[in-house]
Amino acid sequence: MNEKTQEIRKILGIADDVDLARVTITPNMAKQLLNYNNNNRELRENTVKRYAKDMSEGRFLNQSSTIGFYEGKLTNGQHRLSACVKANVEFNTVVD
């Protein structure tokens, strides 16, 4: 397991032997996790605004897709994490 993956697991509070976990992501955690967002597609600000509004109003539903990481890089979930920071609201999700 590489160093960045260990850092991510520490932020999330996930043990080394766990591959999939349900986690409550706080705005502070989201900020930290976005530091591992390398080579992802361009962030769509309208999507972030829509998710943030839903989060702020308590209407954001659990997603069927996970927040994903591979080899210490964020591969799925940049819009949800960005919305969490923007709305300053925690949300529950599954992390892979």
Side-chain angles (χ1 to χ4, degrees), residues 1-18 21 23-26 28-30 32-33 36 69 72 95:
M1 182 179 314
N2 70 36
E3 185 178 325
K4 290 193 183 286
T5 299
Q6 290 175 331
E7 292 169 5
I8 292 165
R9 286 177 172 279
K10 185 175 179 179
I11 292 166
L12 294 166
I14 298 174
D16 290 346
D17 61 343
V18 174
V23 179
T24 298
I25 304 285
T26 67
N28 185 49
M29 290 166 68
Q32 293 177 62
L33 295 171
Y36 300 91
F69 294 91
V95 177

Side-chain angles (χ1 to χ4, degrees), residues 72-88:
K73 295 178 183 171
L74 178 67
T75 58
N76 190 22
Q78 68 174 340
H79 289 89
R80 286 170 279 166
L81 293 173
S82 297
C84 175
V85 172
K86 186 175 190 73
N88 198 33

